[in-house]
Amino acid sequence: MISTQVTVNHYDFENSLFENFSNNHFAKDLWPLVYILSDGETKTAYIGETTDAYSRMGTHLKHKTKSILTSVHLITSEKFNKSATLDIESNLIKYMSGDNMFKLLNGNLGLANHNYYQKKEVYWDIFNTIWNQLRAEGISKHSIEHIDNSDLFKYSPYKSLTKEQSQGLLQILQSLVTGKNDNIIVEGGAGTGKTILAIFLFKMLSSELEDFSFNEFGTEEKVFIDLVDQIKKVLPNPKMALVVPMSSFRTTLKKVFKNIKGLSASMVIGPAQVSKEKYDLLVVDESHRLRRRVNLGAYFGAYDKACLALNLDKHNSSELDWVIMQSKNTVLFYDEGQSIKPSDAKKEDFDLLKENKQTSILKLKSQFRVKGGNAYVDYIDALLHTRLREEAPKFNSKEYEFTLFDSLETMIEQIKLRDKESGLSRLIAGYSWAWISNKDKDAFDIKIDDVQLKWNGTANDWINSEGSINEVGCIHTTQGYDLNYSGIIFGNEISFDPETKEIIVNEENYFDKNGKQSIKDPKELKAFIINIYKTIMLRGIKGTYVYVCDPLLREYFKTFIPNYKSEQPITKIVFKTENIKPFENAIPLYDLQVAAGNFGEIQQVEEVNWLNIPDKIKPSKDLFACQVVGESMNKVIPNGTYCLFRKYSGGSRNGQIVLVEHTNIHDLDFGSCYTVKEYESKKYEDENGWKHQSIILKPLSTDNTYENIILEDEDLSSFKVVGVFEGVLE
């Protein structure tokens, strides 16, 4: 058992601890181990790994900051090697940072992405065991699943950078040292890790050099160390801030900075604050959302006041000018495809800045958020700009769910199921309905057929707010955020012209007043609306579900997006009625009324028809077909499809999908005495040989309400494997 392979021992962090180490053979015999230093009163901790616990603890006891910590937990196991302890150290730093019980003294995590033998097969389970023991010790609090969905974890600087991000970071550091480039523009689409890179930079410049591990930079390790050392000499206490134009996302990042050692919420500011003082470094996240003096509503007064203070013409300047003026060095994370309204700074202004000799440009291309990768991102861009050919295959990925729904009610049900399974699954819509519930709490904003919904009840950090699963977010409350699954509602402000084969927009159905006032060119409005939908369709990490109000746009999307259920690969079965040669040109179709659910009343098996044998299948008397209905196997077998089975004739069935029969269970909850499930057997050995202890029949479903069927003792005597699944017939 894995739980017996790892031990967590607690000691007081003081000189007497070396006497206690004499009873721990891992500590005294130079085994690789992981340790946590902590103090319950100050809620501060440090995580490390070593093969020489005596020497390392002695060094820490002499350290100015670490010596004030009061406890040490040694994590030991005979399974540990150097690679394993480096990996566990990295994971502990990441997850304890996201857990938010302690502020970490660690500068960063060091090696995080290296691979080693049985990393996934063995050591992830060991890490889970360690985490649960730490929860028992009161060192950690939340589950790993909870932390995975937290903003503190998603935007943690305790993560290893990719090669692409490392090169971007190197360029930024060189600019700060040499002074050759006052401005750096980092271009990257949604989900390319711009925010992570920005926070990593802040953490690097705010940490003591000795606490920051540069190992992950490989052969360039010394280059990075020298650059950071030079920056700290030139700017020992740099005045720097992260500028975030969107108030909701700014609130979220303030919480993140507040809970990272060395950073503070005050480092995250809005553009208006830039006008009040000078900075050594300003980093602007989502810089495409910096504003100009158009459709600002209540913000007009503050905007004009800032322009006056900076001696700028309020009509011919923007917040981009404020940032450039007020900082010696600026880093602008930019994506022109996420500019969504007229008040956003002009693309032309960024183009002029790019042409300036004092500006350096670098690009991030790798997709971090969406598991569908760059292929999905490119597909969405081509879909919304009508560049896909009708004969092109629909987007399909084992890593990503991309599905079109005919029923909004069904899509809502599926989003709520995904939220129960993995959390952070939300509905998002285009701005095609007025926000009347803002003033009338009993009113519904969105009414589609029999479905009534409300817009987001709060503008700040809506995704994490209570009740958000029952509401609908908009571009303003979701831009910059990650979701596991997003359910996108395309409203009536967007349609499709089948003659020109172009997407069109209907201005009268677009209700974001500040998003369309002052726009005279319909093409400009269309570009903003397209950008909005592209941005929200790139929120989902694991999947994107789509419902379309407009019938013409829905028909266009059906050509390119897999349809929920109805367009899953339904079998094209050809029944033979003449010249039947059993098992030469046809196989029997049994009307088992197979329910891909549970066992139930006994039914008689009858041959009701014969099917053509597909060309790719070699004829055999062991082959037969039947129809599988239900959703319990829908990850492999779509509801209602015909499947090919081979009669079971012995051998191991573990891990295979099987058709089974059970004649002694008559529970009313069961649908048929036949079922299709993935088979797992647990056995034991006695004097008579190996015997079944239990048989587990596992569903493979996107619906987590389906449970394992477990057969034990007398149930096993009337259990029979009828056939082994060969595949879905097409």
Side-chain angles (χ1 to χ4, degrees):
M1 293 292 291
I2 288 175
S3 59
T4 64
Q5 296 176 351
V6 61
T7 303
V8 179
N9 291 114
H10 172 252
Y11 305 94
D12 291 332
F13 189 51
E14 55 187 19
N15 288 319
S16 63
L17 110 96
F18 298 110
E19 296 177 14
N20 297 324
F21 274 7
S22 62
N23 297 319
N24 188 318
H25 83 91
F26 293 103
K28 69 179 182 179
D29 293 340
L30 302 178
W31 274 76
L33 54 81
V34 183
Y35 60 89
I36 302 172
L37 306 179
S38 64
D39 180 68
E41 186 172 338
T42 62
K43 292 297 180 183
T44 307
Y46 178 85
I47 299 164
E49 62 82 34
T50 185
T51 54
D52 189 346
Y54 279 86
S55 175
R56 186 63 59 86
M57 293 304 124
T59 301
H60 289 327
L61 281 168
K62 296 174 184 177
H63 190 274
K64 179 180 177 181
T65 305
K66 295 171 189 145
S67 62
I68 64 174
L69 302 176
T70 55
S71 295
V72 57
H73 287 80
L74 286 192
I75 303 167
T76 57
S77 171
E78 292 182 357
K79 290 281 186 179
F80 282 180
N81 52 53
K82 188 66 173 179
S83 290
T85 54
L86 282 169
D87 187 42
I88 291 168
E89 174 199 31
S90 297
N91 279 323
L92 279 174
I93 293 171
K94 286 191 293 187
Y95 280 97
M96 284 190 69
S97 171
D99 190 45
N100 197 30
M101 276 196 69
F102 292 89
K103 285 191 175 182
L104 301 184
L105 297 175
N106 298 75
N108 71 331
L109 77 162
L111 297 175
N113 292 330
H114 70 289
N115 234 322
Y116 59 93
Y117 181 61
Q118 292 189 321
K119 176 178 179 177
K120 294 181 180 178
E121 295 84 351
V122 173
Y123 289 97
W124 179 246
D125 286 337
I126 288 178
F127 178 75
N128 274 272
T129 301
I130 292 169
W131 189 256
N132 287 332
Q133 289 193 38
L134 292 176
R135 293 176 78 183
E137 291 277 339
I139 298 299
S140 62
K141 182 177 181 181
H142 298 95
S143 69
I144 286 175
E145 293 76 13
H146 174 87
I147 295 169
D148 279 336
N149 285 331
S150 70
D151 290 324
L152 282 177
F153 184 78
K154 291 179 185 296
Y155 301 113
S156 169
Y158 298 107
K159 292 183 178 178
S160 188
L161 299 181
T162 65
K163 184 68 175 177
E164 184 179 73
Q165 288 175 314
S166 295
Q167 288 304 305
L169 179 63
L170 180 63
Q171 194 168 337
I172 292 169
L173 296 176
Q174 288 171 335
S175 175
L176 292 174
V177 169
T178 63
K180 290 182 179 179
N181 301 110
D182 297 333
N183 309 305
I184 296 178
I185 295 180
V186 184
E187 295 185 291
T192 53
K194 299 187 296 296
T195 304
I196 291 292
L197 180 53
I199 297 174
F200 194 98
L201 172 64
F202 271 79
K203 180 61 177 172
M204 175 181 271
L205 297 181
S206 301
S207 299
E208 294 294 332
L209 200 62
E210 62 188 48
D211 287 332
F212 202 90
S213 172
F214 292 83
N215 294 338
E216 68 171 282
F217 298 116
T219 57
E220 294 179 317
E221 177 181 355
K222 188 176 184 307
V223 176
F224 275 91
I225 292 174
D226 289 344
L227 285 171
V228 175
D229 188 38
Q230 290 180 62
I231 292 170
K232 288 183 177 295
K233 288 177 180 176
V234 176
L235 300 171
N237 295 297
K239 185 166 184 57
M240 56 184 184
L242 178 65
V243 182
V244 183
M246 301 101 72
S247 61
S248 176
F249 194 43
R250 184 163 65 245
T251 300
T252 298
L253 292 187
K254 277 181 175 289
K255 293 177 184 177
V256 172
F257 271 57
K258 179 183 177 181
N259 290 288
I260 297 173
K261 186 73 174 179
L263 305 184
S264 66
S266 62
M267 288 180 169
V268 182
I269 64 174
Q273 194 170 337
V274 170
S275 65
K276 298 177 181 178
E277 52 190 325
K278 294 280 188 178
Y279 292 84
D280 295 307
L281 172 65
L282 284 177
V283 179
V284 186
D285 198 15
E286 310 280 352
S287 64
H288 39 271
R289 296 306 315 280
L290 291 170
R291 289 163 290 189
R292 60 193 182 102
R293 199 181 188 277
V294 177
N295 300 358
L296 295 180
Y299 184 56
F300 270 118
Y303 184 93
D304 292 349
K305 185 178 179 180
C307 286
L308 182 62
L310 296 173
N311 198 27
L312 289 171
D313 182 351
K314 62 184 180 183
H315 297 292
N316 295 302
S317 63
S318 69
E319 290 175 342
L320 177 60
D321 297 307
W322 305 359
V323 171
I324 301 299
M325 282 185 63
Q326 293 295 91
S327 182
K328 295 177 182 177
N329 302 275
T330 60
V331 181
L332 303 162
F333 290 95
Y334 176 66
D335 178 13
E336 66 177 79
Q338 291 193 65
S339 178
I340 60 163
K341 58 198 308 185
S343 59
D344 292 344
K346 291 181 179 180
K347 174 183 178 296
E348 292 81 359
D349 293 339
F350 284 96
D351 290 340
L352 284 173
L353 191 60
K354 291 179 191 178
E355 294 172 5
N356 193 313
K357 293 181 180 179
Q358 296 298 312
T359 300
S360 176
I361 302 169
L362 59 102
K363 295 186 178 182
L364 300 176
K365 297 179 180 179
S366 301
Q367 180 56 227
F368 282 90
R369 178 187 296 129
V370 178
K371 287 191 174 180
N374 289 337
Y376 172 77
V377 176
D378 294 341
Y379 194 85
I380 293 302
D381 186 70
L383 174 72
L384 295 176
H385 290 95
T386 59
R387 294 197 306 268
L388 295 172
R389 295 180 299 172
E390 291 187 10
E391 63 271 21
K394 296 179 181 180
F395 179 83
N396 182 40
S397 170
K398 292 180 180 179
E399 303 295 325
Y400 201 76
E401 291 185 54
F402 184 39
T403 308
L404 180 68
F405 285 77
D406 292 324
S407 163
L408 176 58
E409 190 173 8
T410 302
M411 186 177 85
I412 293 171
E413 290 173 356
Q414 290 301 309
I415 284 292
K416 289 184 176 181
L417 278 173
R418 300 295 84 76
D419 190 62
K420 287 181 179 179
E421 290 173 356
S422 54
L424 282 183
S425 300
R426 300 289 184 269
L427 296 170
I428 314 173
Y431 220 133
S432 190
W433 295 270
W435 189 15
I436 58 177
S437 65
N438 187 35
K439 296 181 179 179
D440 182 358
K441 299 301 181 184
D442 295 324
F444 289 94
D445 305 297
I446 300 171
K447 297 179 182 179
I448 302 171
D449 297 329
D450 295 329
V451 178
Q452 297 187 114
L453 298 164
K454 292 183 180 183
W455 282 119
N456 41 265
T458 179
N460 286 327
D461 199 20
W462 168 74
I463 281 173
N464 298 303
S465 66
E466 185 177 353
S468 56
I469 185 60
N470 297 313
E471 299 175 339
V472 182
C474 66
I475 181 64
H476 306 305
T477 52
T478 56
Q479 191 170 19
Y481 288 92
D482 290 352
L483 292 168
N484 286 323
Y485 288 87
S486 59
I488 310 300
I489 303 173
F490 278 73
N492 287 306
E493 88 284 24
I494 186 168
S495 182
F496 181 77
D497 187 335
E499 292 186 6
T500 63
K501 297 189 181 301
E502 293 287 335
I503 284 180
I504 58 175
V505 299
N506 301 309
E507 181 182 349
E508 64 274 14
N509 294 328
Y510 186 53
F511 283 85
D512 188 349
K513 293 180 180 179
N514 291 330
K516 67 179 181 179
Q517 281 180 353
S518 78
I519 295 180
K520 297 179 180 179
D521 185 354
K523 291 182 180 179
E524 185 181 2
L525 179 62
K526 175 183 172 180
F528 282 134
I529 292 176
I530 292 291
N531 281 355
I532 288 171
Y533 278 107
K534 181 180 177 182
T535 300
I536 61 179
M537 289 184 80
L538 300 180
R539 297 301 99 194
I541 296 170
K542 299 178 180 180
T544 298
Y545 299 161
V546 177
Y547 177 81
V548 183
C549 294
D550 181 83
L552 294 174
L553 185 65
R554 187 186 309 132
E555 286 303 309
Y556 165 64
F557 276 9
K558 279 185 176 181
T559 307
F560 301 107
I561 306 177
N563 197 263
Y564 180 73
K565 290 185 180 178
S566 62
E567 210 170 274
Q568 292 177 359
I570 300 301
T571 309
K572 296 179 181 177
I573 294 296
V574 179
F575 295 98
K576 288 191 74 67
T577 57
E578 298 178 356
N579 192 28
I580 296 174
K581 297 179 181 179
F583 306 108
E584 292 183 20
N585 64 3
I587 55 175
L589 170 68
Y590 292 115
D591 184 12
L592 303 176
Q593 296 185 20
V594 174
N598 295 322
F599 299 118
E601 296 180 0
I602 305 172
Q603 297 176 358
Q604 185 66 37
V605 175
E606 296 179 359
E607 296 180 25
V608 296
N609 222 321
W610 289 86
L611 306 181
N612 272 341
I613 292 181
D615 294 337
K616 64 181 180 180
I617 297 174
K618 184 179 179 180
S620 169
K621 290 185 178 181
D622 291 333
L623 296 177
F624 65 94
C626 60
Q627 187 181 31
V628 177
V629 297
E631 297 293 340
S632 75
M633 296 296 290
N634 62 20
K635 287 184 177 179
V636 178
I637 304 174
N639 182 14
T641 51
Y642 292 85
C643 297
L644 182 68
F645 292 87
R646 188 175 296 276
K647 292 179 182 177
Y648 176 67
S649 58
S652 175
R653 297 153 289 189
N654 269 341
Q656 298 188 67
I657 296 173
V658 293
L659 168 65
V660 299
E661 177 185 12
H662 199 295
T663 57
N664 286 347
I665 296 180
H666 303 286
D667 193 304
L668 294 177
D669 288 339
F670 302 150
S672 167
C673 64
Y674 297 95
T675 193
V676 175
K677 292 287 182 294
E678 186 176 83
Y679 180 100
E680 179 182 319
S681 172
K682 293 186 177 180
K683 297 181 179 181
Y684 68 94
E685 188 177 18
D686 61 15
E687 65 275 6
N688 297 317
W690 287 97
K691 294 184 178 180
H692 285 295
Q693 178 179 340
S694 65
I695 290 173
I696 303 172
L697 302 174
K698 298 180 176 180
L700 300 174
S701 177
T702 57
D703 184 346
N704 64 354
T705 60
Y706 289 98
E707 298 180 350
N708 291 342
I709 298 173
I710 301 175
L711 303 177
E712 298 174 316
D713 302 328
E714 66 272 8
D715 291 336
L716 299 173
S717 61
S718 54
F719 170 83
K720 178 182 179 182
V721 175
V722 178
V724 178
F725 174 71
E726 293 280 305
V728 173
L729 287 170
E730 296 189 36

